[in-house]
Structures are given as structure tokens and as C-alpha cells.
């Protein structure tokens, strides 16, 4: 019975050590993962999502990097990249062929951006042996330069006959822009209207814009260039424009350029008969 106190002490020490180990397994130090709150890109271009962190100081080579993506259309979050220790990264899903892990931390580059890439990206860093873990989110906005700008019922550069003093109307449409394109009208380079257009949203999140110009011509409008030009309110697209234009004929006969050519051709054919 003299050994009983010693056994009790040993048991107490063992229990304390076991309890400490279990406590260490349950606790994990919060790792400060730094990402950009927002990032922007344009379709067909590339964007790099930043993700940086500090090493815990021990077991630095034992970590798992994970990128997750949640689309803005309400789809479920999914893993798009994972990297364990010093192994090569593995890419998943629709974007797999356009992703690349770059830099010395966890930056992720997305090439040939698509509208479907718009969403929330989560960078997850797990030093699993050092029990240091953290995440950071980036909201990626993907924009799209307008596909077409068209003055309806006319071809680019058409001559439009509109006798002086007569009313004339032009309809212009911008197709598939994100953000929506504003349409401005110019006459011989001078802005003549900035009226609000009408906008309709497409299923892919882009917008069509329609605008109408109503004017009464004067003799001085002869050979004036009427231009409908797009403008998108985004820093990545501010310098980019698309337009369509026609030329006013306020004094000549009412022919378009194509009609004149057809008439001359008809006269030539008749002269050969």
C-alpha cells in the first residue's frame, strides 16, 4: 500500500498531459490572411486575386492552400484550386484551364475572363501542423465592353435624305454591355443630346440600350455627320467607345449611296441592250 500515493501522482500527471494534448488539438491560432476586398476585370483580359499571409514560424512547409468560388447568380460555393505542402496545385471545374497559382504566397490569376467568373472568391490558408488557419474574401466584378452600336435601318456611312425644315428621327441600339452603355448623339463632332436611353437586361447580366434622336434639319446640316456613340461608366472602360454614323443630305435628291450605285448600274445595263 506504500506505492499507492506514487500511482496516484503518476495517474494525475498522465491525465493532465492528456488533457493538455486534447486542448491543443481543439485550439487553432487565427492566421491573418490578407486579400483585396474588391477586384475588377474585363472579359477576355486577365486578373490576379491577391492573397498573402505570414508564416507561423514553425512547420512552415506543412500547409494547405485552397481557393473557393461562389458565383453571383446564386450557385453553390465550390473549390477551384487546392495545393498541399510543396506539391503542384490542382485546379477544378469550369475555370480549371484558365487558373494559375502565382507568386510566393497564394495569389491566383484568372485568364480570359468570362462574365460567369463574377462572384466571391475565398482564399483559405491552413498550416495544419502549426494549427494556424485563416481565410480572406475578394469580390470580383467582371465587366464587358459593348458588342455593337447600330443606328437602326441604316448602314455605316449611309447618306440620309432629309430636306431642310423636315423632321427626321434616328434610332440607335447598343447591344450587350456591362455596365449598361450610355448613348450620346453628335452632329459633326458636337454633342447634341445626352437624353436617357431605355435599358433592358439580358440573361447573362449584360444590358441593351436604345436611344432616339429627333431633329428638324436646316440647310446648314447638309453633309453633317450624325453619330451615335457609346460610353460606359467604369474606370476600365472609360477610354473605349463604339459608334455608328450616317450623313445628312438636306439639299440633294433622296438617294442613299447604295441606291445611287444601283441606279448607275441599271442605266449602264440599259445602254448595252
Amino acid at each position: 500500500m506504500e506505492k499507492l500515493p506514487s500511482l496516484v501522482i503518476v495517474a494525475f500527471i498522465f491525465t493532465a498531459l492528456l488533457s493538455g494534448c486534447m486542448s491543443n488539438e481543439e485550439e487553432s491560432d487565427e492566421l491573418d490572411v490578407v486579400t483585396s476586398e474588391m477586384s475588377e476585370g474585363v472579359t477576355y483580359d486577365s486578373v490576379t486575386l491577391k492573397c498573402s499571409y505570414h508564416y507561423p514560424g514553425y512547420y512552415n512547409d506543412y500547409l494547405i492552400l485552397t481557393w473557393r468560388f461562389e458565383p453571383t447568380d446564386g450557385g453553390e460555393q465550390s473549390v477551384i484550386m487546392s495545393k498541399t505542402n510543396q506539391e503542384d496545385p490542382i485546379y477544378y471545374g469550369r475555370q480549371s484551364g484558365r487558373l494559375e497559382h502565382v507568386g510566393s504566397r497564394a495569389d491566383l490569376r484568372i485568364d480570359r475572363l468570362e462574365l460567369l467568373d463574377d462572384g466571391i472568391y475565398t482564399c483559405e490558408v491552413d498550416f495544419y501542423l502549426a494549427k494556424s488557419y485563416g481565410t480572406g474574401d475578394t469580390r470580383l466584378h467582371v465587366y464587358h465592353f459593348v458588342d455593337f452600336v447600330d443606328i437602326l435601318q441604316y448602314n455605316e456611312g449611309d447618306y440620309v435624305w432629309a430636306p431642310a425644315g423636315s423632321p427626321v428621327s434616328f434610332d440607335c441600339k447598343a447591344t450587350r454591355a456591362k455596365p449598361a452603355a450610355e448613348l450620346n448623339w453628335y452632329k459633326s463632332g458636337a454633342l447634341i443630346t445626352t437624353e436617357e436611353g431605355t435599358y433592358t437586361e439580358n440573361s447573362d447580366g449584360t444590358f441593351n440600350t436604345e436611344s432616339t434622336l429627333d431633329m428638324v434639319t436646316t440647310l446648314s446640316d447638309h453633309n453633317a455627320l450624325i453619330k451615335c456613340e457609346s460610353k460606359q461608366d467604369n474606370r476600365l472602360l472609360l477610354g473605349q467607345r463604339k459608334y455608328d454614323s450616317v450623313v445628312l443630305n438636306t439639299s440633294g435628291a433622296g438617294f442613299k449611296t447604295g441606291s445611287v450605285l444601283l441606279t448607275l448600274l441599271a442605266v449602264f445595263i440599259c445602254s448595252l441592250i
Side-chain angles (χ1 to χ4, degrees):
M1 299 298 293
E2 295 180 358
K3 294 183 178 181
L4 184 57
S6 299
L7 293 175
V8 171
I9 293 173
V10 170
F12 176 80
I13 294 174
F14 178 81
T15 302
L17 290 174
L18 181 61
S19 176
C21 290
M22 293 178 65
S23 176
N24 288 336
E25 288 180 358
E26 293 174 357
E27 295 178 1
S28 181
D29 293 334
E30 183 175 354
L31 181 69
D32 186 20
V33 175
V34 180
T35 56
S36 300
E37 183 177 344
M38 184 185 74
S39 187
E40 298 176 304
V42 179
T43 51
Y44 311 117
D45 288 347
S46 299
V47 67
T48 298
L49 305 181
K50 299 294 185 180
C51 180
S52 62
Y53 51 87
H54 293 292
Y55 289 105
Y58 48 93
Y59 298 128
N60 292 340
D61 293 333
Y62 299 93
L63 78 160
I64 299 174
L65 301 178
T66 306
W67 274 97
R68 304 178 188 273
F69 170 58
E70 182 179 345
T72 53
D73 62 7
E76 294 183 358
Q77 187 185 70
S78 59
V79 174
I80 59 174
M81 189 210 85
S82 64
K83 184 180 187 304
T84 302
N85 302 335
Q86 303 305 311
E87 298 175 3
D88 291 335
I90 302 173
Y91 306 105
Y92 308 91
R94 174 184 56 80
Q95 301 162 295
S96 60
R98 299 183 289 115
L99 302 176
E100 184 178 357
H101 173 245
V102 294
S104 60
R105 293 297 191 268
D107 293 355
L108 181 69
R109 189 177 72 216
I110 308 174
D111 293 324
R112 303 185 305 280
L113 280 171
E114 301 175 1
L115 287 167
L116 291 174
D117 295 334
D118 194 288
I120 299 174
Y121 291 78
T122 300
C123 177
E124 179 180 286
V125 183
D126 183 10
F127 288 92
Y128 54 93
L129 288 186
K131 303 191 183 308
S132 187
Y133 172 87
T135 64
D137 291 340
T138 297
R139 173 68 171 90
L140 174 63
H141 296 273
V142 180
Y143 306 113
H144 182 71
F145 182 44
V146 61
D147 280 354
F148 305 104
V149 172
D150 182 35
I151 297 179
L152 304 178
Q153 300 182 341
Y154 296 99
N155 296 319
E156 170 74 18
D158 270 355
Y159 277 83
V160 179
W161 187 55
S166 65
V168 63
S169 179
F170 298 102
D171 295 314
C172 184
K173 182 177 182 179
T175 305
R176 292 190 71 244
K178 183 183 178 184
E182 172 187 315
L183 291 176
N184 296 319
W185 291 92
Y186 296 83
K187 183 173 70 173
S188 298
L191 181 66
I192 55 177
T193 178
T194 56
E195 295 180 5
E196 276 290 318
T198 58
Y199 305 97
T200 55
E201 186 173 3
N202 301 308
S203 59
D204 61 359
T206 60
F207 294 84
N208 298 337
T209 307
E210 295 185 24
S211 177
T212 299
L213 172 67
D214 294 311
M215 62 182 295
V216 176
T217 61
T218 65
L219 283 175
S220 62
D221 290 332
H222 185 61
N223 284 332
L225 182 73
I226 302 297
K227 181 170 71 172
C228 175
E229 184 178 79
S230 69
K231 176 184 177 182
Q232 290 175 264
D233 187 16
N234 178 264
R235 66 178 185 84
L236 299 179
L237 298 171
L238 283 179
Q240 302 187 55
R241 302 282 193 274
K242 280 189 179 178
Y243 67 88
D244 194 13
S245 61
V246 296
V247 180
L248 287 178
N249 176 3
T250 63
S251 62
F255 292 103
K256 295 182 182 180
T257 303
S259 300
V260 172
L261 293 175
L262 289 175
T263 301
L264 292 175
L265 179 61
V267 171
F268 174 73
I269 293 174
C270 289
S271 68
L272 297 177
I273 298 175

